[in-house]
C-alpha cells in the first residue's frame, strides 16, 4: 500500500492524542535543546578564554628567573665547577636581554622587552592618591608584545628610554582614581616621591579574573630603575616570537643562549623559566574541552531520558490500541503497514521534538547565558538530531514490532 | 470439479496446555460450496467462534487442514494471509469492531486502503457499500455517534466493500433489536441472492431460518448438518420476505398455508422435509 497512506494513519494517531504527543515531543525537545545549548555554552566559554589568552599574544614568551635551578641544585654542581664560584641562581640582567636580541642566534625572536616591576607604588596628584598595583619599567616594544595599546595620548619611544625620561603611560583605573574627569595627559604625578609626566592612557582591557589589568603604569626602564628599583636584576624578559607557531622554536633558541650565558651544561637545570603562551593556551583549551564534554554528557543524559519517554509512550500507545491493531489486521492490513504506522508515529514525535529543540537552541544561543556568549557547534546539532531520530526509531520499533507480530485474534482479544 | 470455497478437514483447536487444556474443536470436517448460506448454531462454548476465527484466518488451528478455493491456508506466509483476509474474506464481528474516532466512511474505506485502491475509487466504493446497507445519511458520523444497528451495518459495509468471495459473520445480530436484526438479515439475503457465500453464527432460530443450510455444533463437533434450500436457489426467506408483515396485518388462518408462519414455534424451521440432508 501507499506509504503516504501510512503517513496519514500515523498523523491521525498522533493527533488523536494531542496532549500525550505534545508532552513526548517536549521531552525530546528539551533533550535536544539542552545538548546543543550546553555544548554551545561550553564552546563559547572555551573560545572566550582562548581569546583572553590570545590578548596577551599567543606568540609571546615570558622569561623569569628560577630559584630552583642553577647553583642551588645538586644537578648544577658540574656547572658550578665549570663556570666559577656561584652559590645562587643567577638573576636575569639587562645583559641577558641584550643577548637575546641577536638575530643570528635567535632568528625566531622579533622583540625583547626587559621588565622591572614595582608593586604598590603610591602615586599622588594634587592631593589625590592611588596605590598602583603594578608599575612596569620596560622598553617601547612591551606595548605591542603585552598587547597594551594606548587609547589616549602617546607611547614613549626608544629615545625616551635612552634619556631615562620620567614619563609614564597609565592604565584606566589609575587615570580615574587620580584624575577623575580631568584629562591626565601632560599632568605631572608623583610616584613614590619621584615626579613623572603622564603621556598616555592605556586602552581599557577589562578586568580579567581577580586582577585589575587596568591598575597599571608603564614607564621607561631606566627611569623606574633610577627612581624605584635600582639597577639590579630584571623581574622578567618578555620576548615576542615571529609567530605563534615559532614560539616553541624561539623557546629552544632562548634556552640555548641563556644556558650558554649562565654557564649551564646541557644536562643541568636551568636557572630561568620560560612561560610559553602557546603551550599555556593548549593546556587551557584542553581543560575547557573537558568542560564542554562534561556539559555535553549531562545534556546527553537528558536526551536519553527523552528517548525513554518515547519508548514509554509508544508502549502505552501500542498496548492501548492493540484491539485497533487486531481490527486492522483482520481486515487485511499487512504487517509492514502496521509496523510502518507505529514506527512513523515514533519517528515523527522525535523528529518534531528534535527540530523544535534545534530551533529553540538556535534562538537561545543568541542570548548571553551566565556571562558567556554561546557558540553553536554544528556537529552538536547533527548529533542531537540524529540521536533523537535514532531513539525514536530504535525505541519505537520494539513496541511496534511486538504489535505487528500479533495474530489478529490475539490482538482482538486484548483487553 | 471445482473446489469448494471453504474446506476444513479434521480441524482441532486446543487452548492452553496440560491440565488446563480446553478442546474447543474436536475434529470438524466441513465443505462449503460457492453461493451457499450457512448458519452455525450451538450452545454457548460449543466452539462456534473458534471455528469462525479459523475460517476468517484470524487464528490458526492446532491440527487439521483448512483450504480456501483449494489453497491450504497453513502454507501461506504472513503477507499472503493479509492479502487473503483483505480480498477474499469479509468478517463481521459480534461486537462491531469499528475503529473509534474514524468516520463510518473512513472505516469502510480502510480495507480498500490496505488493498491499495486509489482514494477516489475508494471513496466511491465505500459510499456505494454504505448505500447498500442504507446508511448514506450517516457516512460522516463516528462510531460513537451511531446506534448499535447502524454500527453493525457499517461493519457489514466494511466487510462487503472489497467484494469478498465469502462473508463470515459471528453473531452479527446478537446485540441488535428485532428491527435492526431484520435490516441486517435483509442485507444478507440480498447478498445471498447475488451469489455471495455467507457463513453466520447465530443463537436465534429466526436468524437461522434465513440460511440455506444449518450446522449445529456440540462440544466442538458437528452433530447436525441440515439443508433448508438448495445452494443455487435463493435463500428460503426471500421468496416470502413480506410474511412477517403479513402476519402483523392478520392473514386469515384458514388453509394449511397458515401453519407455515407458525411452524418455527417448535424450533423446527420451515421446509424441514425438503432440506434435511
Ligand atoms: N482464548 C481462549 N483461551 C482459552 N479457552 C478459550 C479461548 N477462546 C475460547 N476458549 C474456550 O473454547 C471453548 C469454545 O469457545 P467459543 O468462543 O468458540 O464458544 P462459542 O461457541 O462461540 O460460544 P458463544 O456462543 O458463547 O460465543 C469455550 O469453552 C471457551 O472457554
Ligand atoms: Mg462466540
Amino acid at each position: 500500500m501507499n506509504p503516504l497512506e501510512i503517513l496519514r494513519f500515523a498523523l491521525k494517531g498522533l493527533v488523536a492524542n494531542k496532549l500525550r504527543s505534545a508532552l513526548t515531543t517536549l521531552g525530546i525537545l528539551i533533550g535536544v535543546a539542552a545538548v546543543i545549548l550546553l555544548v554551545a555554552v561550553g564552546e563559547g566559554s572555551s573560545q572566550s578564554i582562548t581569546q583572553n589568552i590570545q590578548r596577551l599574544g599567543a606568540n609571546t614568551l615570558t622569561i623569569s628567573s628560577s630559584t630552583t635551578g642553577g647553583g642551588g641544585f645538586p644537578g648544577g654542581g658540574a656547572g658550578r665547577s665549570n663556570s666559577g664560584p656561584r652559590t645562587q641562581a643567577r638573576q636575569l640582567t639587562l645583559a641577558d636581554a641584550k643577548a637575546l636580541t641577536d638575530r643570528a642566534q635567535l632568528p625566531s625572536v622579533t622583540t625583547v622587552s626587559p621588565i622591572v616591576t614595582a608593586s604598590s607604588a603610591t602615586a599622588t596628584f594634587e592631593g589625590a592618591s592611588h596605590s598602583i598595583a603594578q608599575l612596569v619599567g620596560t622598553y617601547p616594544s612591551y606595548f605591542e608584545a603585552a598587547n597594551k595599546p594606548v587609547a589616549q595620548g602617546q607611547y614613549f619611544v626608544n629615545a625616551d628610554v635612552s634619556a631615562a625620561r620620567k614619563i609614564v603611560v597609565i592604565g584606566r583605573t589609575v587615570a580615574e582614581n587620580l584624575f577623575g574627569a580631568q584629562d591626565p595627559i601632560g599632568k605631572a604625578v608623583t610616584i613614590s616621591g619621584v615626579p613623572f609626566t603622564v603621556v598616555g592612557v592605556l586602552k581599557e582591557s577589562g578586568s580579567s579574573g581577580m586582577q585589575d589589568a587596568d591598575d597599571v603604569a608603564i614607564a621607561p626602564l631606566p627611569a623606574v630603575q633610577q627612581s624605584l628599583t635600582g639597577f639590579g636584576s630584571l623581574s622578567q624578559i618578555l620576548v615576542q616570537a615571529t609567530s605563534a607557531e615559532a614560539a616553541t622554536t624561539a623557546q629552544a633558541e632562548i634556552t640555548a643562549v641563556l644556558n650558554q650565558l649562565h654557564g649551564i651544561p646541557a644536562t643541568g637545570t636551568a636557572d630561568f623559566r620560560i612561560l610559553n603562551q602557546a603551550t599555556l593556551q593548549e593546556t587551557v583549551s584542553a581543560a575547557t574541552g573537558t568542560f564542554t564534554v562534561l556539559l555535553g554528557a549531562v545534556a546527553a543524559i537528558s536526551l536519553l531520558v527523552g528517548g525513554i519517554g518515547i519508548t514509554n509512550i509508544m508502549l502505552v500507545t501500542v498496548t492501548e490500541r492493540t484491539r485497533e491493531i487486531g481490527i486492522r489486521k483482520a481486515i487485511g492490513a499487512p504487517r509492514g503497514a502496521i509496523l510502518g504506522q507505529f514506527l512513523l508515529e515514533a519517528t515523527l514525535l522525535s523528529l518534531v521534538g528534535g527540530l523544535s529543540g534545534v530551533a529553540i537552541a538556535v534562538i537561545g544561543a543568541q542570548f548571553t547565558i551566565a556571562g558567556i556568549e554561546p557558540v553553536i557547534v554544528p556537529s552538536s546539532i547533527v548529533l542531537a538530531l540524529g540521536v533523537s531520530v535514532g531513539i525514536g526509531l530504535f525505541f519505537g520499533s520494539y513496541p511496534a514490532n511486538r504489535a505487528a507480530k500479533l495474530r489478529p485474534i490475539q490482538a482482538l482479544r486484548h483487553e | 470439479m471445482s473446489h469448494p470455497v471453504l474446506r476444513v478437514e479434521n480441524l482441532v483447536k486446543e487452548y492452553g496446555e496440560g491440565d488446563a487444556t480446553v478442546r474447543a474443536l474436536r475434529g470438524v470436517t466441513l465443505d462449503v460450496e460457492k453461493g451457499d448460506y450457512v448458519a452455525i448454531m450451538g450452545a454457548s462454548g460449543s466452539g462456534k467462534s473458534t471455528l469462525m476465527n479459523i475460517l476468517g484466518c484470524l487464528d490458526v488451528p492446532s491440527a487439521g487442514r483448512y483450504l480456501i478455493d483449494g489453497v491450504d491456508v497453513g502454507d501461506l506466509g504472513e503477507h499472503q494471509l493479509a492479502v487473503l483476509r483483505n480480498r477474499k474474506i469479509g468478517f463481521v464481528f459480534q461486537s462491531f469492531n469499528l475503529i473509534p474516532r474514524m468516520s463510518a466512511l473512513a472505516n469502510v474505506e480502510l480495507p480498500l486502503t490496505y488493498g491499495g485502491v486509489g482514494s477516489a475509487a475508494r471513496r466511491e466504493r465505500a459510499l456505494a457499500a454504505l448505500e447498500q446497507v442504507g446508511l448514506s445519511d450517516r457516512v460522516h458520523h463516528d462510531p460513537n455517534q451511531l446506534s448499535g444497528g447502524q454500527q453493525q451495518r457499517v461493519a457489514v459495509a466494511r466487510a462487503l466493500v472489497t467484494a469478498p468471495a465469502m462473508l463470515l459473520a459471528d453473531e452479527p445480530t446478537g446485540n441488535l433489536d428485532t428491527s435492526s436484526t431484520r435490516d441486517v438479515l435483509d442485507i444478507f439475503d440480498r447478498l445471498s441472492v447475488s451469489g455471495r457465500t455467507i457463513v453466520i453464527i447465530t443463537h436465534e432460530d429466526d436468524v437461522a431460518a434465513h440460511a440455506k443450510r444449518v450446522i449445529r455444533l456440540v462440544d466442538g463437533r458437528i452433530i447436525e448438518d441440515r439443508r433448508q434450500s438448495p445452494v443455487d436457489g435463493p435463500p428460503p426467506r426471500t421468496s416470502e420476505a413480506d410474511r412477517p408483515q403479513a402476519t402483523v396485518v392478520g392473514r386469515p388462518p384458514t388453509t394449511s398455508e397458515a401453519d407455515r408462519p407458525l411452524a418455527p414455534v417448535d424450533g423446527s424451521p420451515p421446509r424441514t422435509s425438503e432440506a434435511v440432508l
Side-chain angles (χ1 to χ4, degrees), chain A residues 189-227:
Chain A
V189 290
T190 314
I191 300 174
S192 295
V194 183
F196 279 82
T197 308
V198 178
V199 293
V201 178
L202 293 173
K203 181 165 172 263
E204 192 169 359
S205 69
S207 65
S208 60
M210 294 153 286
Q211 247 185 350
D212 182 0
D214 293 318
D215 193 3
V216 65
I218 303 164
L221 178 73
V224 176
Q225 284 178 320
Q226 255 176 30
S227 50

Side-chain angles (χ1 to χ4, degrees), chain B residues 43-50 52-53 94 170-171 201 203:
Chain B
S44 182
S46 55
K48 305 183 296 294
S49 296
T50 303
M52 195 61 124
N53 291 336
Q94 178 174 3
D170 189 346
E171 301 194 35
I201 291 178
H203 278 295

Side-chain angles (χ1 to χ4, degrees), chain A residues 413, chain B residues 11-27 44-48 50 54 59-63 219-220:
Chain A
R413 286 235 181 85
Chain B
L11 215 56
V12 173
K13 178 72 184 179
E14 295 178 345
Y15 292 110
E17 274 159 31
D19 288 347
T21 307
V22 176
R23 303 194 69 201
L25 294 179
R26 307 168 183 233
S44 182
S46 55
K48 305 183 296 294
T50 303
I54 294 172
D59 207 351
V60 290
S62 308
D219 285 343

Side-chain angles (χ1 to χ4, degrees), chain A residues 10-44:
Chain A
L11 281 176
K12 273 191 180 168
L14 292 179
V15 171
N17 240 313
K18 289 189 197 68
L19 182 64
R20 183 191 291 173
S21 304
L23 285 176
T24 315
T25 309
L26 191 66
I28 284 290
L29 181 155
I30 291 172
V32 168
V35 167
I36 298 174
L37 259 187
L38 288 188
V39 169
V41 167
E43 179 69 14

Side-chain angles (χ1 to χ4, degrees), chain A residues 43-365:
Chain A
E43 179 69 14
S45 68
S46 151
Q47 280 193 9
S48 91
I49 291 172
T50 314
Q51 267 168 14
N52 272 338
I53 294 172
Q54 259 163 2
R55 209 179 288 160
L56 275 173
N59 56 342
T60 57
L61 301 152
T62 312
I63 308 163
S64 49
S65 69
S66 159
T67 47
T68 55
F73 194 71
R80 193 188 331 177
S81 56
N82 283 348
S83 61
R86 186 157 62 87
T87 52
Q88 256 192 312
R90 275 232 335 241
Q91 298 293 320
L92 292 170
T93 62
L94 203 53
D96 291 333
K98 292 252 163 66
L100 295 180
T101 54
D102 181 356
R103 294 303 293 263
Q105 274 195 72
L106 301 119
S108 306
V109 171
T110 50
T111 69
V112 178
S113 319
I115 297 172
V116 293
T117 49
S119 51
S120 309
T122 308
T124 53
F125 172 75
E126 287 177 358
S129 163
H130 174 71
S131 174
I132 301 168
Q134 203 183 27
L135 174 64
V136 176
T138 186
Y139 284 7
S141 56
Y142 175 83
F143 290 102
E144 194 204 324
N147 197 9
K148 289 195 182 305
V150 164
Q152 198 185 345
Q154 56 199 159
Y155 300 95
F156 56 80
V157 295
N158 283 330
D160 300 319
V161 174
S162 321
R165 214 165 270 152
K166 302 269 188 306
I167 53 178
V168 69
V169 175
I170 56 176
R172 177 64 61 192
T173 307
V174 180
E176 274 166 13
N177 284 339
L178 286 182
F179 301 98
Q182 290 184 58
D183 180 9
I185 308 297
K187 301 275 177 1
V189 290
T190 314
I191 300 174
S192 295
V194 183
F196 279 82
T197 308
V198 178
V199 293
V201 178
L202 293 173
K203 181 165 172 263
E204 192 169 359
S205 69
S207 65
S208 60
M210 294 153 286
Q211 247 185 350
D212 182 0
D214 293 318
D215 193 3
V216 65
I218 303 164
L221 178 73
V224 176
Q225 284 178 320
Q226 255 176 30
S227 50
L228 295 159
T229 61
F231 290 91
S233 55
L234 298 174
S235 323
Q236 286 175 332
I237 303 173
L238 192 63
V239 175
Q240 225 181 343
T242 46
S243 66
E245 293 73 42
T248 313
T249 327
Q251 184 172 0
E253 291 166 2
I254 293 165
T255 309
V257 168
L258 288 184
N259 272 350
Q260 200 190 12
L261 217 59
H262 292 196
I264 294 164
T267 52
T269 311
D271 56 0
F272 55 88
R273 209 169 37 194
I274 303 175
L275 185 69
N276 187 337
Q277 289 292 348
T279 332
L280 180 68
Q281 203 171 309
E282 271 166 35
T283 315
V284 174
S285 319
T288 55
T290 313
F291 176 60
T292 308
V293 167
L294 218 78
L295 284 181
V298 169
I301 290 173
S302 84
L303 188 58
L304 192 72
V305 171
I308 294 171
I310 286 204
T311 319
N312 191 15
I313 288 305
M314 287 319 291
L315 267 173
V316 170
T317 306
V318 168
T319 312
E320 203 184 67
R321 284 160 64 187
T322 305
R323 241 180 104 80
E324 177 186 329
I325 292 169
I327 300 173
R328 286 175 186 269
K329 292 201 83 168
I331 60 175
R335 182 197 262 183
I338 303 277
L339 192 64
Q341 176 182 343
F342 285 99
L343 269 191
L344 218 54
E345 280 189 22
T347 310
L348 279 176
L349 278 183
S350 52
L351 199 64
V352 169
L355 284 176
S356 4
V358 169
I360 291 200
V362 168
I363 293 168

Side-chain angles (χ1 to χ4, degrees), chain B residues 27-85:
Chain B
V28 172
T29 300
L30 171 75
D31 274 5
V32 177
E33 298 299 329
K34 186 174 183 317
D36 209 349
Y37 184 173
V38 183
I40 299 177
M41 300 191 72
S44 182
S46 55
K48 305 183 296 294
S49 296
T50 303
L51 176 62
M52 195 61 124
N53 291 336
I54 294 172
L55 295 184
C57 299
L58 305 180
D59 207 351
V60 290
S62 308
R65 293 211 311 158
Y66 171 35
L67 296 88
I68 294 180
D69 284 337
V71 178
D72 192 336
V73 169
D75 295 341
L76 298 180
E78 162 91 26
H79 190 76
Q80 289 164 304
L81 271 179
V83 173
L84 187 73
R85 286 183 206 119

